[in-house]
Amino acid sequence: MTLRELVSRTRSFRRFYENHLLSLTTLEDLVDTARLTASAANLQPLRYMISVDPQVNAQIFAHLAWAAYLKDWNGPQEGERPAGYIVVLGDERHSKTSAWDLGIAAQTILLGATEMGLGGCMICSIKKDALAESLDSPPGFEILMVIALGRPKEKIVLERLVEQGNIQYWRDDKGVHHVPKRDLDSIVLRRFGDR
């Protein structure tokens, strides 16, 4: 698979085969790959809590909000919930650079998951204080993101976003998830030099 194919297949999956169990080793491998990525000033402020335990997963799930554009959907139902979670935390002493590292690490984790035949979703709509208390998060670290992981149970299609079109993702009557994407010419503002 080329990098372009890998990126195209790495989508925000929100429904999973919950009975497709993941191992802690799988999540550790994804975090270990993210650990190797670039870090602003090499401060390496990110830390992780990982879970494949159904009871802990249920605690994490209870503190998340899913798919803001899908107003009539409250998140995956039982049987379609993630089989694992990676909770990403930032060292509060380095909060100014954590956001840069977070994006790099989270995308790396999702690319790695796709390569393994899995899928995931980056979630930042979190009841952070309640989740930190529930997981007994160590002091000095702030929860930045939760990455839900599992074997995807939905089809996602990329659509061409027409000029001045609606950017909101949507689901059709067959449950296919559609994601509008801007085309290359609409995002490259200036070109200098020869092709």
Side-chain angles (χ1 to χ4, degrees), residues 47-88:
R47 300 294 185 272
Y48 304 87
M49 293 190 285
I50 60 178
S51 174
V52 294
D53 179 271
Q55 290 180 323
V56 175
N57 288 354
Q59 288 177 334
I60 295 169
F61 180 84
H63 295 95
L64 305 177
W66 294 80
Y69 288 151
L70 304 178
K71 302 294 183 201
D72 59 345
W73 191 67
N74 294 321
Q77 61 188 353
E78 282 196 45
E80 294 185 338
R81 293 181 179 163
Y85 290 98
I86 297 175
V87 180
V88 188

Side-chain angles (χ1 to χ4, degrees), residues 118-135:
L118 302 172
C121 186
M122 299 178 206
I123 303 169
C124 291
S125 186
I126 307 163
K127 298 173 192 164
K128 292 182 180 183
D129 292 339
L131 181 57
E133 184 177 335
S134 178
L135 297 177

Side-chain angles (χ1 to χ4, degrees), residues 24-173:
L24 277 178
T25 301
T26 297
L27 272 57
E28 287 171 343
D29 287 346
L30 293 170
V31 169
D32 196 36
T33 301
R35 175 185 66 83
L36 302 174
T37 61
S39 174
N42 203 33
L43 291 171
Q44 304 173 61
L46 302 181
R47 300 294 185 272
Y48 304 87
M49 293 190 285
I50 60 178
S51 174
V52 294
D53 179 271
Q55 290 180 323
V56 175
N57 288 354
Q59 288 177 334
I60 295 169
F61 180 84
H63 295 95
L64 305 177
W66 294 80
Y69 288 151
L70 304 178
K71 302 294 183 201
D72 59 345
W73 191 67
N74 294 321
Q77 61 188 353
E78 282 196 45
E80 294 185 338
R81 293 181 179 163
Y85 290 98
I86 297 175
V87 180
V88 188
L89 301 94
D91 186 327
E92 292 174 347
R93 295 172 299 172
H94 305 298
S95 61
K96 290 183 181 178
T97 63
S98 292
W100 303 328
D101 288 19
L102 177 63
I104 296 168
Q107 181 67 1
T108 299
I109 287 169
L110 288 186
L111 289 167
T114 300
E115 185 181 45
M116 294 176 177
L118 302 172
C121 186
M122 299 178 206
I123 303 169
C124 291
S125 186
I126 307 163
K127 298 173 192 164
K128 292 182 180 183
D129 292 339
L131 181 57
E133 184 177 335
S134 178
L135 297 177
D136 193 23
S137 179
F141 293 92
E142 175 191 3
I143 293 175
L144 303 175
M145 177 184 288
V146 173
I147 302 173
L149 294 160
R151 186 169 152 236
K153 190 180 181 179
E154 64 184 334
K155 181 178 179 180
I156 298 178
V157 176
L158 299 181
E159 304 279 349
R160 183 178 178 276
L161 179 64
V162 296
E163 191 71 30
Q164 306 301 321
N166 189 343
I167 59 158
Q168 294 185 4
Y169 50 78
W170 54 281
R171 289 197 182 137
D172 64 25
D173 57 358

